[in-house]
């Protein structure tokens, strides 16, 4: 079943650059939440902070009641075992076929026999619609298949929390819709808690129970989907309707609210780089 994740006053900076600050919200257990935000607002950094790859400057992250920001590497390892992560590019090992890629966390984290591993890997391949594709290599398959294989790998340890970073980037609209449906089905069958970062408005409009949005270094909203979709907030309305008119500009420097909240545009200039 899914775990609750409680995030309180979370702040992350790199040097002088604050990525986001005072992020506070709870991921409801067993439900799907989507995190939106313009490019460079720190969505990937947020997911990496949740899995302990980055240490926050301040604030707390409690997974199933356990504070993880203060854990040592060895104890983090045990927490990570309970998480499934799908990074932006699927992050498969190019030198291994899909079977070995998907078996990797089992070989790394468990003492299961190869027969048990085979049963689990075959089951997860089947789950993502890739039965019999285990002997293919990442370079031989399409982007959509790589995403699904990455998802299969994220699922092998029966995670209670699944984090997906733009699972739909680079996919066509039909494949994006199928992947969204797959995520809904996985949520229904596993009961895991999901947090999905996406730019896809259709995904955001249809899949999640809750939607949050990062903008100008703050979490400006986190609420049930219908509430967000009906919101009059100009940033949310612009983003969810993909409009050019509104507070969000081509670059952060042009974002209207940049000055309004006292975070002058000069704080930003020259410090922004594209994420990985
Ligand atoms: N390892 C790092 N060191 C320094 N700055 C980083 C690092 N990773 C990300 N950043 C910076 O954090 C900001 C947010 O990046 P990212 O989380 O990739 O944005 P998003 O995923 O929302 O597009 C960017 O300005 C990026 O340059
Ligand atoms: Mg990103």
């Amino acid at each position: 079943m899914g775990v609750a994740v409680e995030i309180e006053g979370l702040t992350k900076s790199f040097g002088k650059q604050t990525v986001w600050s005072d992020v506070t919200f709870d991921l409801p257990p067993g439900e799907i939440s989507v995190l939106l935000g313009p490019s460079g607002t720190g969505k990937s950094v947020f997911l990496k902070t949740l899995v302990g790859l980055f240490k926050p400057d301040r604030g707390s992250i409690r997974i199933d009641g356990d504070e993880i920001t203060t854990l040592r590497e060895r104890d983090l390892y045990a927490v990570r075992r309970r998480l499934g992560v799908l990074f932006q590019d699927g992050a498969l090992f190019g030198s291994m076929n899909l079977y070995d890629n998907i078996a990797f966390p089992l070989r790394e984290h468990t003492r299961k026999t190869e027969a048990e591993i085979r049963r689990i890997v075959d089951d997860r391949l089947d789950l993502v619609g890739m039965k019999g594709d285990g002997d293919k290599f990442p370079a031989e398959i399409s982007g959509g298949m790589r995403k699904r294989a990455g998802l299969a790998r994220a699922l092998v340890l029966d995670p209670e929390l699944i984090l997906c970073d733009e699972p739909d980037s680079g996919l066509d609209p039909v494949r994006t819709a199928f992947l969204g449906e797959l995520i809904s089905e996985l949520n229904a069958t596993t009961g895991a808690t999901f947090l999905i970062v996406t730019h896809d408005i259709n995904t955001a409009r249809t899949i999640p129970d809750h939607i949050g949005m990062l903008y100008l270094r703050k979490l400006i909203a986190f609420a049930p989907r219908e509430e967000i979709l009906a919101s009059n907030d100009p940033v949310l309305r612009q983003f969810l309707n993909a409009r050019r008119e509104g507070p969000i500009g081509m670059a952060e420097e042009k974002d209207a609210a940049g000055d309004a909240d006292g975070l002058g545009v000069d704080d930003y200039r020259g410090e922004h780089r594209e994420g990985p």
Side-chain angles (χ1 to χ4, degrees):
M1 276 309 283
V3 287
V5 183
E6 298 155 292
I7 296 146
E8 211 177 306
L10 206 65
T11 300
K12 175 68 195 162
S13 47
F14 292 109
K16 281 194 304 181
Q17 180 204 14
T18 301
V19 184
W20 27 253
S21 62
D22 270 325
V23 173
T24 299
F25 71 110
D26 294 346
L27 283 181
E31 304 201 336
I32 303 178
S33 300
V34 150
L35 183 62
L36 303 172
S39 302
T41 45
K43 303 179 298 296
S44 295
V45 169
F46 187 76
L47 291 192
K48 288 175 183 169
T49 306
L50 283 190
V51 298
L53 290 175
F54 289 137
K55 282 255 178 264
D57 306 7
R58 285 193 301 282
S60 94
I61 302 168
R62 283 189 300 274
I63 296 183
D64 205 13
D66 294 332
E67 178 63 49
I68 66 148
T69 55
T70 50
L71 291 181
R72 288 163 305 167
E73 197 56 34
R74 188 161 54 86
D75 299 318
L76 256 182
Y77 194 77
V79 173
R80 283 203 194 112
R81 240 208 82 136
R82 304 169 64 186
L83 315 182
V85 188
L86 175 59
F87 288 112
Q88 219 159 321
D89 50 2
L92 300 168
F93 302 109
S95 59
M96 291 181 194
N97 66 18
L98 299 184
Y99 183 93
D100 288 332
N101 262 288
I102 296 165
F104 189 82
L106 292 165
R107 291 176 177 150
E108 185 85 340
H109 282 277
T110 73
R111 291 168 182 277
K112 291 191 190 301
T113 64
E114 282 302 313
E116 288 171 300
I117 289 175
R118 172 158 296 279
R119 189 187 57 72
I120 297 170
V121 172
D122 285 347
D123 175 77
R124 300 307 185 276
L125 275 169
D126 195 17
L127 210 56
V128 300
M130 296 184 70
K131 200 178 177 139
D133 288 332
D135 54 358
K136 299 200 168 106
F137 281 82
E140 299 169 346
I141 60 176
S142 67
M145 286 174 83
R146 277 199 290 275
K147 303 270 182 185
R148 282 186 285 142
L151 200 52
R153 188 174 62 181
L155 293 170
V156 282
L157 294 170
D158 292 324
E160 298 155 282
L161 172 62
I162 299 176
L163 307 168
C164 302
D165 198 352
E166 300 193 25
D168 40 25
S169 69
L171 297 189
D172 63 61
V174 175
R175 299 246 166 40
T176 298
F178 276 122
L179 192 76
E181 191 181 84
L182 177 62
I183 287 173
S184 290
E185 283 169 12
L186 290 173
N187 172 249
T189 51
T190 65
T193 306
F194 279 74
L195 179 61
I196 297 162
V197 166
T198 183
H199 279 300
D200 189 77
I201 298 166
N202 276 327
T203 302
R205 284 183 175 280
T206 51
I207 304 304
D209 301 296
H210 304 269
I211 299 177
M213 171 123 178
L214 280 173
Y215 182 62
L216 289 174
R217 288 167 272 173
K218 295 281 177 194
L219 184 80
I220 61 160
F222 185 84
R225 178 183 62 188
E226 294 309 324
E227 207 173 296
I228 297 286
L229 295 181
S231 168
N232 279 323
D233 181 277
V235 174
L236 287 173
R237 287 182 65 93
Q238 183 188 1
F239 200 84
L240 288 164
N241 294 294
R243 292 210 192 99
R244 269 180 297 130
E245 299 76 26
I248 308 172
M250 183 63 198
E252 281 90 348
E253 290 82 11
K254 301 209 178 71
D255 284 357
D259 282 331
D261 60 19
L263 301 165
V265 287
D266 289 331
D267 293 357
Y268 245 170
R269 204 162 280 151
E271 294 189 349
H272 174 72
R273 290 184 291 105
E274 276 303 315

